[in-house]
Every structure is written in structure tokens, then in C-alpha cells.
Amino acid sequence: MSGFPAARLRRLRRTDGLRSLVRESHLDPSRLVLPLFVCEGTDRREPIDGLPGHERVSVDLLRDEISEAVTLELGGVLLFGVPDDKDKDEAASAAYAVDGIVARAVQAAKDAAPELPLITDVCLCSYTSHGHCGVIHDGEIANDLSVEMIARAALSHAEAGADLVAPSDMMDGRVAAVRTALDAEGHEQVGIVSYAAKYASAFYGPFRAAASSNPSFGDRRGYQLDPANRREALREIALDVEEAADIVMVKPALSYLDVIAAARARVDLPLAAYSTSGEYAMVKAAAERGWVDERQAALEQLIGIRRAGADIIVTYWAKEVARWL
Ligand code: PBG
Ligand code: ZN
């Protein structure tokens, strides 16, 4: 062999066309899910501190948000209900009220765009007076009692017309309980997106302000995963698969790319990753100071999540990405 080196990887990096030809991962709007926050009242649109570009909107204004998601050909939307403070109680009753905020939002969204995949977040934390993801009994977050209420909340979303319900509470056994509750009422076609591996993370900060779901005491480490653990996350995922989850999710995304990759290698279900509020806010804040380029940083984060193995990404950048691409 004369000439050194014979293998030159730069050959395929020479032009845009060649780079595009050999690109291994892609970001497509159809893979992105947009989180939306829905509040009580009418004609209400409130900016969210820490989530620039996002607002809490009342149900009557949801139609515009949904139409935009359709126009941009996003993969779907993920609805979060934000009840008024006066409707919160120890039992999280507003979470599973028949005409609850999410149920009404689902009806409005389905009315605006029946075809757009509609996912609802199912949890108690925005509805409990104390902000925990479960109800409290004898000073503990009671697992099985919470699961019953979570199943009722999921059922109320399904009755309203949700395509997929997404329990995000991290109680044990909730996927099975939700599946049983849905099937018992004839909703065997409603799927479950399980927040299967959800970590006790610092990267939920802006979200908790947006959804008013900050725990008033303690933290979520008694139910969410320890950031140090990967095998435990894989057990969570395996259990949710056994309990008949349709899609499993890892959350947050950026600090857990190894978990996404390991999950990808092990399960054949569609795999989602949640690029959380804190991951978004960090880039927004740094970009505001001129320290990073927002577009480049966002696209790099998101392609990294796809490269790690996620099929679907829940991201606050969904609309921007659709416009950028
Ligand atoms: C509530 C819930 C949280 C998020 C989604 N559902 C916050 C939490 O667990 O405290 C986080 C979303 C984000 O930060 O973007 N169970
Ligand atoms: Zn919660």
C-alpha cells in the first residue's frame, strides 16, 4: 500500500450532499411531541417563567395551539392540566373529575383536530394540595391508594377521547391498574405511554412552576428513580412492558442517554424520551446571554437523543424545530 492514509473519513464530510447522504440519525417533526399547559377560565393566556415561548392557555384558546401543531406536522401533543388552587385537595379529586380540566381540553383538542395524536399526562401532583404525585396516608405517599386514583384520572381522559394516556407518577403497578381500568370500560384501544424510567431530577424546575406541582414538603426521591441507577431503570421499563405499556419513556433525556441506549437495546416497543423543562431552560438562558447558539444547541441535544435510540422526543422546541428543518 503506497500513500498514507488510504482510509480518509473526511471524504464523506466534504459537501452538504455527501454529509446528508451518510447521515445516520434524523430529526423529523413527526417524531416530536409538543407539551401544552391548559388552565381554567376563558381567554386566558399566561406566559410561563422559565419556559420562554410557552404559555398556559384556557380551554377555549386550545384550538389555536392544536391547529399550529397540525400545520407544523408534529407527531402529537401532550396535555397537562393546571387546575386553580382552590380546586386542589388532599385526595386530588380534580384529577379524576368527569368534567376535569384535562377531559375538557381533550374534547376541545379532538374537536379541532381528530387526527392529531393526543396524549394526556396522568398524575396527581398538580391536583393535590401538597403537590406530591400520590396521596398521603399515615405520613407516607400511599402507593396502592394513589394508583387507584391515577387509574380513575386516566379513565376520565380516555372517556373524553384521548388516544394515549401517560402516567408520570412512578407508583408501582400503575400501568397494570390503568390498563385494567381502561379495558373494563371498553377503552381497549386507548394506549399507555409509560413514564417508565423517570428520575428524581433537578431538570423539572420550570415545569413545576408552570403546572404548579411543586411539593410543599420533602421531595420526590421516594418514588422517582435515583440518578445513579441504570439497572433499576431497566427493571422499571421491563415491568411496564410486562404490564402492557404501549410506549415506554425515559426522562429526563440528556443526562440519561446511556439509559435510552440500554432501553433501546432491550425493548422492541417504541421508545420515547422527554427533553425536560430544565434542559430547555438552560439553553434558552445561555442563548439569551449570547453564550450558545440556541438553534444549534437545541438541534444537537435532540439529535443526540435520537442517536441514543429514542424514536419519539417530547420537547418544548417541537414547534421551532419544525420551522428550522
Ligand atoms: C409530573 C410531571 C413532571 C414533569 C412531567 N410530569 C414533574 C415532576 O415529576 O416533578 C416534568 C416535565 C418537565 O420538566 O418538562 N408528574
Ligand atoms: Zn406528578
Side-chain angles (χ1 to χ4, degrees), residues 27-37 51-54 69 72 74-80 119 195 207 249-254 272-281 283-284 294-295 297-303 305-306 310-325:
L27 270 178
D28 188 279
S30 68
R31 303 290 191 145
L32 306 179
V33 171
L34 174 70
L36 291 174
F37 298 91
L51 281 177
H54 288 264
L72 294 170
L74 300 184
V77 296
L78 172 60
L79 292 184
F80 289 95
I119 313 169
Y195 286 75
F207 172 93
M249 185 146 73
V250 174
K251 175 185 178 188
L254 216 52
Y274 200 132
S275 166
T276 63
S277 58
E279 299 177 80
Y280 174 83
V283 173
K284 283 277 178 191
E294 184 190 356
R295 174 178 165 159
L299 292 175
E300 187 174 330
Q301 281 197 8
L302 298 174
I303 203 70
I305 297 165
R306 292 272 295 135
D311 300 302
I312 301 163
I313 309 177
V314 180
T315 170
Y316 298 94
W317 275 298
K319 291 196 289 185
E320 278 109 319
V321 170
R323 291 194 193 100
W324 290 333
L325 292 177

Side-chain angles (χ1 to χ4, degrees), residues 35 37 51 78 80 121-126 131 133 168-169 195 198-199 201 203-208 213 215 220 223-224 251 274-278 316:
F37 298 91
L51 281 177
L78 172 60
F80 289 95
D121 183 271
V122 180
C123 202
L124 305 185
C125 51
S126 294
C133 300
S168 66
D169 51 281
Y195 286 75
K198 180 175 178 184
Y199 285 87
S201 172
F203 300 114
Y204 305 150
F207 172 93
R208 289 187 187 164
S213 67
R220 303 213 200 286
Y223 39 104
Q224 298 180 344
K251 175 185 178 188
Y274 200 132
S275 166
T276 63
S277 58
Y316 298 94

Side-chain angles (χ1 to χ4, degrees), residues 175-207:
V175 172
V178 167
R179 188 68 271 157
T180 303
L182 295 179
D183 290 355
E185 297 300 323
H187 297 295
E188 55 281 305
Q189 294 303 322
V190 175
I192 300 175
V193 180
S194 172
Y195 286 75
K198 180 175 178 184
Y199 285 87
S201 172
F203 300 114
Y204 305 150
F207 172 93

Side-chain angles (χ1 to χ4, degrees), residues 36 38 45 57-71 77 79 104-114 116:
L36 291 174
V38 190
R45 203 176 256 291
V57 300
S58 49
V59 175
D60 57 314
L61 300 182
L62 189 58
R63 174 173 283 273
D64 300 344
E65 309 299 315
I66 297 293
S67 308
E68 215 181 346
V70 172
T71 307
V77 296
L79 292 184
R104 279 176 281 129
V106 165
Q107 283 162 1
K110 273 291 158 196
D111 201 42
L116 180 72

